[in-house]
């Protein structure tokens, strides 16, 4: 099985940057697609970005295109989310997730989840 741990969240002024990390343990993530989701207070969990671990591409929600970049390091079993030009709308708890069926935008299709890391953007 796979265990996921997010880190790198914090508080930042609008226009600033943060880099989130999601480290996996238990087994290699080869063959797993990874996704980032976020959930703001009073709102449902929404898709942010996804990456195919082997032989795939990267995908982004319209709200973060051009500002966020997802990447991976197979040797470290880690996926990253570089967040630039942050805006208050980005404030949420960010979760990473893994599945064996490719990059998908629906949280219901992911079998493994981290515990989340808080990102707060002030104006």
């Amino acid at each position: 099985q796979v265990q996921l741990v997010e880190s790198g969240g914090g508080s930042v002024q609008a226009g600033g940057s943060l880099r989130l990390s999601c480290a996996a343990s238990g087994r290699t993530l080869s063959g797993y697609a990874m996704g980032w989701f976020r959930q703001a207070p009073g709102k449902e969990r929404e898709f942010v970005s996804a990456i195919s671990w082997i032989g795939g591409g990267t995908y982004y929600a319209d709200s973060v295109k051009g500002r966020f970049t997802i990447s991976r390091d197979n040797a470290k079993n880690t996926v990253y989310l570089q967040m630039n030009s942050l805006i208050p709308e980005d404030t949420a708890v960010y979760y990473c997730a893994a599945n064996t069926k490719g990059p998908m935008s629906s949280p219901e299709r992911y079998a493994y989840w981290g515990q989340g890391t808080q990102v707060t953007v002030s104006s």
Side-chain angles (χ1 to χ4, degrees):
Q1 297 187 9
V2 177
Q3 295 81 46
L4 304 174
V5 179
E6 304 96 335
S7 62
S11 298
V12 65
Q13 292 286 319
S17 298
L18 287 172
R19 188 194 191 202
L20 305 184
S21 298
C22 176
S25 62
R27 63 170 297 160
T28 178
L29 287 177
S30 294
Y32 287 81
M34 301 294 299
W36 284 98
F37 295 80
R38 65 188 183 187
Q39 188 165 20
K43 297 184 178 180
E44 64 184 16
R45 190 166 299 185
E46 67 173 342
F47 171 76
V48 176
S49 185
I51 186 169
S52 297
W53 204 254
I54 300 294
T58 58
Y59 309 87
Y60 300 93
D62 289 343
S63 60
V64 306
K65 286 181 179 178
R67 300 189 297 118
F68 291 9
T69 303
I70 190 170
S71 61
R72 60 179 171 84
D73 186 332
N74 287 345
K76 296 181 179 179
N77 269 341
T78 301
V79 64
Y80 305 95
L81 185 68
Q82 178 67 46
M83 305 186 294
N84 298 326
S85 301
L86 285 162
I87 58 176
E89 193 178 58
D90 296 320
T91 296
V93 176
Y94 283 70
Y95 300 88
C96 67
N99 75 76
T100 61
K101 299 181 179 180
M104 296 177 286
S105 60
S106 175
E108 290 80 10
R109 306 306 298 269
Y110 287 79
Y112 304 99
W113 291 86
Q115 297 183 50
T117 185
Q118 177 71 48
V119 171
T120 301
V121 184
S122 59
S123 60

